[in-house]
Amino acid sequence: MTALVAPAEPEISARQAEVLDAVLRQLVTDGNSLTMSAVARRASCSKETLYKWFGDRDGLLNATVKYQAARVHVAAVGPDPLDRSALTARLESFAINWLTVISSETSLALNRVAIGQAGADKSLGAIVLANGRFALGSRMKPVLEAGRKAELLAFEDAEEAFRTLFGLVARDVQIRLLLGDSPSLDPESIRAEASRAIGQFFALYGAQPGGGKAAP
Amino acid sequence: MTALVAPAEPEISARQAEVLDAVLRQLVTDGNSLTMSAVARRASCSKETLYKWFGDRDGLLNATVKYQAARVHVAAVGPDPLDRSALTARLESFAINWLTVISSETSLALNRVAIGQAGADKSLGAIVLANGRFALGSRMKPVLEAGRKAELLAFEDAEEAFRTLFGLVARDVQIRLLLGDSPSLDPESIRAEASRAIGQFFALYGAQPGGGKAAP
DNA sequence: GCCGAACCGTAACGTTCGTTACGGTGCGTT
DNA sequence: AACGCACCGTAACGAACGTTACGGTTCGGC
């Protein structure tokens, strides 16, 4: 449904990247009340330049979301040794990365503005979704299928298995963070959360020695 | 005439409830761009009345959130027969109710405005959280603990078990809906989703005949 | 019938903010 | 040196909107 193609997107200069970084900082500190004047002030540029480069306020937001999405790309999947411990390590690494991203102030601020606009203009939400949830799924599914091929996992639909993994990892953390709650998420507890989630995922989808499925 | 429950909260008259319903409809149709004029027009009342009753725009939003939260209260937990099938039925009923609520346009609109304001003013987010996620937890934990007492479930921390249940039920649905994606959520698939989630929950936390724990 | 309270509809005020326009500055090119 | 270009800083315009004020209407109580 969502293919990741090499972006023929507008090339961004170094100066423009600085401006988009300023937008991100502004979003983090001042929330959704993002004014063009505040961005210009923080980026030490003129509003005229903002409008010349990004068209209007919406274009600036879109460019910022795409810019941040491009930065978040974690290391792609390498070749697959694929024994049980390697698979566990890779799954846990994904879980740790995901939890770290969704608890970062930058990601939270972007998700908040995208969700705030999701009623009227769905474009921001679609971009966030494509580069967050769906990009993660695209990267995870080959891993899951490799695990199945190695008879370490058992499932019928990789998408379904990934969605369950998603739920086990995120639980109520994302919605609580988005709503302003702050459950403790230091790197220590993130690692513990990831380990628990992967353990539970194996309990549900780990291949039985007999070859049966663990859950309906 | 007579209040169903007596909230120490500001009493709302029938007419005021009509106004708050108008706010909800307005939020659903026009998204976050909620203007006082639009509310007054839709509720067939004057702006002066809005300000007299609710103070300011923020007061109106707070009253709306509380109003909707009060309506959502599902039936409280009754006495506990508590065999395996009764526990399953109760858990599935909670899951169905939760999925139905979070996929309703009303809940989505309220969550969107609360999240949109979570950067600056956390009060709306706190209210939504208290009446959504945390109210659900309060109602679920006694059920879970009764299940443990009946030796149908095995866990150490009810809060942890509930959070996992939350993740198994919601998975990626809530964030996708908030961001404007629309995965199919007819009552049929909601029931199927709930059944799957509860099955997986039992696979993780169901008491073993031997009395051990299923997952770390 | 009369009075006051509550409420409706609308006009008006002031602020914020997106957007545009204008003058000034540093810099590379000829 | 002169020119053009890209950019900065700021002022100004206009629309949207929160908030307030005012005149007209309905309705219950005396």
Side-chain angles (χ1 to χ4, degrees):
Chain A
M1 147 187 333
T2 39
L4 278 185
V5 238
E9 297 300 324
E11 325 140 8
I12 43 172
S13 71
R15 182 74 181 106
Q16 287 172 335
E18 279 181 41
V19 171
L20 296 183
D21 274 320
V23 175
L24 286 175
R25 282 196 307 262
Q26 186 68 22
L27 277 177
V28 168
T29 61
D30 273 24
N32 50 358
S33 68
L34 182 83
T35 72
M36 302 296 279
S37 305
V39 171
R41 204 177 320 125
R42 194 183 279 261
S44 296
C45 74
S46 73
K47 289 205 268 186
E48 184 180 8
T49 304
L50 291 184
Y51 282 96
K52 174 178 290 186
W53 283 349
F54 304 104
D56 56 1
R57 186 174 178 279
D58 229 47
L60 180 61
L61 275 179
N62 272 46
T64 305
V65 171
K66 288 179 186 166
Y67 172 69
Q68 170 67 7
R71 310 196 97 210
V72 144
H73 277 334
V74 298
V77 278
D80 289 329
L82 249 291
D83 54 5
R84 158 91 188 217
S85 75
L87 178 60
T88 303
R90 172 157 294 167
L91 291 179
E92 284 191 4
S93 141
F94 271 120
I96 289 174
N97 179 65
W98 182 239
L99 284 173
T100 305
V101 166
I102 69 174
S103 62
S104 72
E105 282 300 325
T106 302
S107 164
L108 278 177
L110 280 181
N111 272 275
R112 290 205 181 107
V113 300
I115 287 174
Q117 302 224 334
D121 177 14
K122 294 187 189 299
S123 61
L124 277 188
I127 296 175
V128 169
L129 222 35
N131 293 283
R133 153 69 178 84
F134 289 123
L136 194 69
S138 302
R139 257 175 284 136
M140 286 292 261
K141 278 199 279 188
V143 176
L144 295 180
E145 277 161 354
R148 177 172 58 179
K149 188 158 291 177
E151 294 188 2
L152 297 169
L153 296 174
F155 53 82
E156 293 176 0
D157 186 355
E159 173 75 7
E160 279 294 302
F162 167 71
R163 294 184 61 200
T164 300
L165 176 57
F166 184 99
L168 285 173
V169 173
R171 302 208 288 184
D172 60 348
V173 171
Q174 191 165 27
I175 187 64
R176 287 172 68 174
L177 288 171
L178 285 173
L179 281 168
D181 194 15
S182 43
S184 60
L185 267 189
D186 46 300
E188 200 65 22
S189 34
I190 283 186
R191 203 169 0 251
E193 285 282 281
S195 174
R196 171 204 49 78
I198 303 306
Q200 291 178 326
F201 182 71
F202 270 111
L204 288 179
Y205 291 99
Q208 305 291 47
K213 266 181 57 183
Chain B
M1 216 177 1
T2 42
L4 295 177
V5 217
E9 297 299 324
E11 323 141 8
I12 44 171
S13 72
R15 183 72 180 105
Q16 288 172 335
E18 279 181 42
V19 171
L20 297 183
D21 274 320
V23 175
L24 287 174
R25 284 195 307 265
Q26 185 69 22
L27 277 177
V28 168
T29 61
D30 273 23
N32 50 358
S33 66
L34 182 83
T35 72
M36 302 296 278
S37 306
V39 171
R41 205 178 318 124
R42 194 183 279 261
S44 296
C45 75
S46 73
K47 289 204 266 183
E48 184 181 9
T49 303
L50 290 184
Y51 282 96
K52 174 180 290 185
W53 285 349
F54 304 103
D56 56 1
R57 186 174 178 278
D58 229 46
L60 180 61
L61 275 179
N62 274 43
T64 305
V65 172
K66 287 178 186 166
Y67 171 70
Q68 168 68 7
R71 310 197 97 210
V72 145
H73 276 335
V74 297
V77 278
D80 288 328
L82 248 290
D83 54 2
R84 159 89 188 218
S85 75
L87 178 60
T88 303
R90 173 156 293 167
L91 291 179
E92 284 190 3
S93 141
F94 271 120
I96 289 174
N97 179 66
W98 181 240
L99 283 173
T100 306
V101 167
I102 68 173
S103 63
S104 73
E105 282 300 325
T106 302
S107 164
L108 278 177
L110 279 182
N111 272 276
R112 290 205 181 108
V113 300
I115 288 175
Q117 302 224 334
D121 177 15
K122 293 187 190 298
S123 62
L124 276 188
I127 296 175
V128 170
L129 221 35
N131 293 282
R133 152 71 179 83
F134 289 123
L136 194 69
S138 303
R139 256 176 285 135
M140 287 291 262
K141 278 199 275 187
V143 176
L144 296 180
E145 277 160 356
R148 176 171 58 180
K149 188 158 292 178
E151 294 189 0
L152 298 168
L153 296 175
F155 52 83
E156 291 176 3
D157 185 356
E159 173 76 6
E160 279 295 301
F162 167 71
R163 295 183 62 201
T164 300
L165 175 57
F166 184 100
L168 285 172
V169 172
R171 301 207 289 187
D172 61 348
V173 171
Q174 190 164 28
I175 187 63
R176 286 172 68 174
L177 288 171
L178 285 173
L179 281 168
D181 195 14
S182 44
S184 60
L185 266 191
D186 46 301
E188 202 64 24
S189 35
I190 283 186
R191 206 174 353 255
E193 285 282 282
S195 175
R196 171 205 47 79
I198 302 306
Q200 290 178 326
F201 182 71
F202 270 110
L204 288 179
Y205 290 98
Q208 305 290 44
K213 266 183 56 183

